[in-house]
Amino acid sequence: MAITASMGRHHMTRRQIAKALLAVGVALPLGAASHASAAPVARSPEQLKLPAPTGPYPVGTVSLHLVDASRPDPVAGPGHHHELMAGIWYPARDVEPYPPVRWMPAGALRAFLTSVEFEADVAVAPLTAGHEGAPVRRTADGYPSSCSRTARAPTVPATPLTA
């Protein structure tokens, strides 16, 4: 299924949208830098940046590798089970000792960049506001949360998160 964006009479595919976004975020600063000097200069990867969070609390995150041993994975073959990577982001406390996490692993970013016809090492994934393993900020009332599923299932309504 192709994802498209409509702009009047013109339609863009997901790949074209990604190229356009990367061109604005990466290619233009690199192009401006290349005009500053006539001599060829070895470029270091562009450090992408995310906007600062707008909420009042620092953010913690943990990554989970979930395996459903009761469900064989027909695609992966015999002996393999359904697997899912999940990231949990939450209000945290005392984040200073915990490292900030990258928006995307380096290998995944390189694969993405090459899939939209950029050089694999043109950019470095931005750091997020999330701090890996930071302790949860606890309150008596909890915090709102929501869970989403694949496109086949609707979003689960928000419920308080109590830890």
Side-chain angles (χ1 to χ4, degrees):
M1 169 202 252
I3 296 175
T4 61
S6 178
M7 298 182 328
R9 296 182 313 189
H10 305 287
H11 295 282
M12 295 178 68
T13 65
R14 181 175 59 180
R15 181 174 294 220
Q16 290 168 325
I17 293 168
K19 281 183 181 180
L21 292 173
L22 284 168
V24 171
V26 177
L28 289 179
L30 293 175
S34 68
H35 291 294
S37 171
V41 177
R43 291 189 277 189
S44 59
E46 182 71 22
Q47 174 65 62
L48 301 177
K49 293 184 171 73
L50 294 173
T54 58
Y57 303 114
V59 179
T61 183
V62 294
S63 296
L64 302 174
H65 177 205
L66 306 172
V67 179
D68 184 350
S70 70
R71 295 179 60 199
D73 188 338
V75 175
H80 295 282
H81 299 92
H82 278 264
E83 297 184 34
L84 174 69
M85 290 299 298
I88 300 175
W89 299 73
Y90 51 87
R93 61 180 172 80
D94 189 29
V95 297
E96 288 78 23
Y98 299 90
V101 296
R102 293 231 173 251
W103 173 66
M104 178 184 284
L109 179 63
R110 283 192 298 276
F112 172 71
L113 289 170
T114 57
S115 77
V116 292
E117 300 172 7
F118 275 86
E119 293 178 22
D121 294 320
V122 73
V124 175
L127 291 173
T128 67
H131 294 264
E132 184 71 36
V136 174
R137 178 182 293 270
R138 297 179 187 275
T139 68
D141 297 331
Y143 296 99
S145 66
S146 65
C147 297
S148 61
R149 297 180 181 206
T150 63
R152 292 184 224 181
T155 299
V156 177
T159 56
L161 170 66
T162 53

